Amino acid sequence: MASEDITKLAESLAKTKVGGGQLSFKGQSLKLNTAEDAEEVIKQIEEFDGLEALRLEGNTVGVEAAKVIAKALEKKSELKRCHWSDMFTGRLRSEIPPALISLGDALITAGAQLVELDLSDNAFGPDGVRGFEALLKSPACYTLQELKLNNCGMGIGGGKILAASLKECHRKSSAQGKPLALKIFVAGRNRLENDGATALAEAFGIIGTLEEVHMPQNGINHPGITALAQAFAINPLLKVINLNDNTFTEKGAVAMAETLKALRQIEVINFGDCLVRSKGAVAIADAVKEGLHKLKELNLSFCEIKRDAALTVAEAIEDKAELEKLDLNGNCLGEEGCEQLQEILEGFNMAAVLGSLSDDEGEEEEDEEEEDDEEEEEEEEEEQQQLKERGQGEQESLTPKKIIDSQDSTPVPSPPVDVATFLAFPSPEKLLRLGPKCSVLIAQQTDTSDVEKVVTTLLRISSVFKDEASVKTAVHETTDALMRKAFTSATFNSDAFITSLLIHMGLLKSEEKIKAVPSLYGILMTLNHMVQQDYFPKSLAPVLSAFVTKPNRALDSCSFARHMLLQTLHQL
């Protein structure tokens, strides 16, 4: 290295910030190509006792430099936060995966337990995700709370690899009794599209602990939005949802609105530039009106919302005492509509929360144009699907006959299913595919000291109940294993269990708004089996009987299952 380069590096390192367990090289524009280039950085890392956070943002690290930095990190077991965004500027994409592999392997070797991993603004593409795949699946990430991958160009392929890694991390950490509890997920500007978003949605549903999700500008349409909505519903701690600049349309907006009704901790909703349109805005307004008392920010800007729908949104925030910002800019209110909107908010003494309306598009004709747009979009989606299917057909027609014959004679194996996948998206097929040990596996992986988890697991098992012998047997055996473990535990509160179960069934009111299960048939048929078992406390039978006897519309729609359960309870 030339003496002038060494001088420049020394000056940069003089700016290195040290404090609170953090070593920062942030924004120093260091060009670390070789082992020699990285000598001073390595020295600082090695001499730093109790290193908990390492900031390498705003530098550029090559493969050789990454290897020697990694060697220094192998002894840093206390490292918790890796701020490694924008650290491959000017690098070839092929250089990034090996550099990430070296750094990741070092963290695994060190026995680090990460809390935060930030790899944003590194344009590594789908292959780059392979670079930290092993790290994500390792014990170093069992403790991960924040994962930030903004603007990395992951694409659909990278999104799928990432989702699979998160699911594997959750599975492995759960097996050790401490499931991955990710809180913050950031992956804006990654071209994830529907398939990438859907894959991640499945991972989110399994994790269940998310508090913030930021996925703006990903080209996600209503199928992906709907999948995310379903996953968000299984993450009751969600505070922030940022899906700015994706394409909801009415279908996605309605699905997301239904989820919002079930979430009680939401503080920020950013659906700006998401084309929710008027019908979607009204659905979201209904969700806001019904709950969301902690809401601080609602962004529905540039969504083609017309006047009446915008006014409905304004009326919905009347009792939202925590609200700080309402953004309805760039919609189609017209001058009169903007005035009416301001008047409504002034009436609530909330005029200050309304953002600028300077980019309002002016009032447009109602309904017809919106319906036409929806139809056009649906037609386009159908055409794309047909092209996709046609392309697959053409590909099949080019397949040699021998291969086709061998494929015909060999059944394609179903993808593997684990307990977390089944509980996130239950189905009879998934339960059966868990195999003969499904009952033991689910019981083992359920914390029976937590009444809510037991109730939730029981409801998901019972939701797949069918009169088909194999499914019925699997549901009964899995229920028996779970509930026997729970009721025989000295710490399990049976009274709290029956109370929570009745609330989730919609038979008992709660101070907290809990969404009842959509159908009672499965749980009623499962209870009919459960109450006859020796593990079921007979003291709970009169309580259950009293509530199942009461008039209830949901029970009326399952009259056969209800009658069966009441008859069994009467005979006990």
Side-chain angles (χ1 to χ4, degrees):
M1 183 185 284
S3 59
E4 57 201 38
D5 291 334
I6 295 172
T7 303
K8 186 179 178 183
L9 179 60
E11 289 172 355
S12 294
L13 290 171
K15 301 173 187 174
T16 299
K17 295 178 183 177
V18 177
Q22 174 175 283
L23 177 60
S24 176
F25 301 96
K26 182 179 179 180
Q28 294 183 19
S29 301
L30 301 176
K31 293 179 181 177
L32 309 177
N33 298 318
T34 65
E36 185 184 3
D37 294 341
E39 280 180 0
E40 286 297 325
V41 174
I42 293 163
K43 183 181 177 185
Q44 298 238 15
I45 291 171
E46 288 176 339
E47 293 178 353
F48 196 113
D49 292 328
L51 180 64
E52 294 184 8
L54 178 61
R55 307 196 77 105
L56 291 173
E57 312 104 303
N59 299 291
T60 180
V61 181
V63 176
E64 291 306 313
K67 284 181 181 178
V68 291
I69 291 171
K71 196 70 180 172
L73 290 175
E74 286 181 359
K75 297 177 182 177
K76 300 299 174 181
S77 61
E78 295 176 26
L79 189 62
K80 293 180 174 63
R81 298 184 183 274
C82 297
H83 302 278
W84 295 349
S85 63
D86 187 24
M87 62 177 236
F88 297 111
T89 304
R91 298 289 167 188
L92 295 174
R93 185 177 283 188
S94 59
E95 292 181 84
I96 301 175
L100 287 173
I101 289 169
S102 295
L103 293 168
D105 287 350
L107 298 177
I108 297 169
T109 301
Q113 293 186 312
L114 296 185
V115 172
E116 180 179 358
L117 177 61
D118 186 355
L119 292 170
S120 299
D121 301 315
N122 290 311
F124 46 59
D127 293 339
V129 185
R130 293 284 187 201
F132 59 94
E133 180 184 14
L135 173 63
L136 276 182
K137 293 178 180 179
S138 76
C141 284
Y142 291 177
T143 50
L144 196 64
Q145 294 180 16
E146 301 179 30
L147 179 58
K148 299 173 182 177
L149 299 165
N150 204 54
N151 191 31
C152 290
M154 290 189 289
I156 294 171
K160 288 182 176 181
I161 297 166
L162 176 62
S165 300
L166 289 172
K167 281 160 50 178
E168 181 71 0
C169 180
H170 187 273
R171 185 187 69 78
K172 287 182 174 178
S173 57
S174 296
Q176 294 198 3
K178 292 184 178 179
L180 171 69
L182 192 67
K183 293 181 180 179
I184 297 173
F185 179 83
V186 181
R189 300 180 67 188
N190 270 292
R191 298 179 286 108
L192 294 169
E193 300 182 20
N194 288 332
D195 288 350
T198 300
L200 285 166
E202 189 169 341
F204 296 163
I206 290 167
I207 293 167
T209 55
L210 289 167
E211 295 180 12
E212 295 185 21
V213 175
H214 302 264
M215 295 174 66
Q217 291 184 308
N218 269 298
I220 308 169
N221 299 326
H222 74 79
I225 296 298
T226 300
L228 288 170
Q230 291 169 347
F232 292 165
I234 316 172
N235 284 266
L237 303 176
L238 266 175
K239 295 179 182 177
V240 178
I241 302 177
N242 176 7
L243 294 174
N244 190 287
D245 199 9
N246 288 292
T247 307
F248 282 42
T249 64
E250 181 189 344
K251 289 181 181 177
V254 169
M256 195 61 71
E258 282 302 306
T259 284
L260 290 174
K261 291 176 182 178
L263 299 174
R264 295 186 295 280
Q265 305 299 323
I266 289 291
E267 295 178 5
V268 176
I269 297 170
N270 186 346
F271 298 159
D273 204 11
C274 281
L275 206 65
V276 304
R277 296 204 174 110
S278 295
K279 290 179 182 177
V282 169
I284 291 167
D286 288 343
V288 171
K289 192 170 186 177
E290 284 186 26
L292 305 187
H293 296 294
K294 296 183 179 181
L295 189 63
K296 293 180 180 178
E297 181 178 334
L298 175 59
N299 184 349
L300 293 174
S301 60
F302 300 93
C303 280
E304 293 190 8
I305 301 169
K306 298 185 174 69
R307 180 182 63 180
D308 289 349
L311 298 182
T312 301
V313 172
E315 289 166 354
I317 67 166
E318 179 179 1
D319 63 343
K320 308 305 168 203
E322 302 291 319
L323 195 71
E324 298 170 2
K325 184 178 180 182
L326 172 63
D327 192 345
L328 287 168
N329 198 16
N331 287 300
C332 311
L333 282 68
E335 188 176 342
E336 186 180 344
C338 289
E339 290 174 1
Q340 288 176 319
L341 182 65
Q342 289 166 332
E343 285 171 9
I344 288 171
L345 294 173
E346 284 170 5
F348 303 154
N349 196 28
M350 296 178 72
V353 306
L354 182 63
S356 169
L357 297 172
S358 60
D359 293 318
D360 186 74
E361 296 287 339
E363 195 165 9
E364 294 181 7
E365 295 205 9
E366 297 286 327
D367 298 331
E368 286 185 19
E369 188 179 331
E370 188 166 312
E371 286 173 9
D372 290 343
D373 287 343
E374 293 278 359
E375 286 172 9
E376 283 176 16
E377 281 160 14
E378 286 178 13
E379 285 172 9
E380 283 176 13
E381 285 173 13
E382 286 175 12
E383 285 175 12
Q384 286 172 3
Q385 185 62 30
Q386 287 170 0
L387 286 170
K388 194 174 180 181
E389 289 170 0
R390 195 181 306 157
Q392 289 171 346
E394 288 169 2
Q395 195 171 13
E396 286 168 7
S397 69
L398 296 172
T399 307
K401 189 175 185 304
K402 285 184 180 178
I403 295 175
I404 292 173
D405 291 341
S406 67
Q407 286 174 342
D408 288 344
S409 61
T410 308
V412 179
S414 298
V417 173
D418 57 19
V419 170
T421 303
F422 165 73
L423 292 177
F425 300 97
S427 72
E429 295 73 23
K430 286 178 186 170
L431 182 62
L432 294 176
R433 273 163 48 202
L434 280 171
K437 292 185 178 180
C438 65
S439 56
V440 177
L441 292 172
I442 290 176
Q444 283 177 344
Q445 293 187 35
T446 303
D447 180 5
T448 51
S449 66
D450 187 332
V451 167
E452 280 299 311
K453 283 186 180 176
V454 173
V455 169
T456 302
T457 303
L458 174 63
L459 288 169
R460 288 179 184 166
I461 294 166
S462 64
S463 70
V464 307
F465 181 93
K466 287 170 69 175
D467 285 323
E468 187 179 316
S470 58
V471 177
K472 185 193 291 187
T473 301
V475 169
H476 286 172
E477 289 178 354
T478 308
T479 299
D480 289 343
L482 172 69
M483 298 315 303
R484 189 181 300 279
K485 178 185 175 186
F487 283 126
T488 55
S489 169
T491 59
F492 189 71
N493 188 328
S494 299
D495 293 334
F497 164 79
I498 200 69
T499 300
S500 177
L501 181 61
L502 291 168
I503 289 170
H504 282 276
M505 291 173 70
L507 306 182
L508 181 63
K509 289 185 178 179
S510 168
E511 291 180 1
E512 294 182 353
K513 192 165 183 180
I514 293 176
K515 193 174 181 180
V517 291
S519 171
L520 293 179
Y521 179 79
I523 186 60
L524 289 172
M525 294 301 287
T526 304
L527 283 169
N528 184 52
H529 166 80
M530 217 171 98
V531 298
Q532 300 177 62
Q533 309 309 309
D534 58 3
Y535 59 74
F536 185 82
K538 297 298 181 273
S539 61
L540 298 182
V543 180
L544 191 56
S545 181
F547 280 92
V548 176
T549 306
K550 286 183 178 181
N552 182 285
R553 189 177 296 174
L555 286 170
D556 291 342
S557 65
C558 304
S559 55
F560 171 77
R562 179 190 201 179
H563 174 73
M564 290 283 290
L565 177 57
L566 286 173
Q567 192 174 41
T568 303
L569 288 168
H570 182 69
Q571 292 170 356
L572 290 176

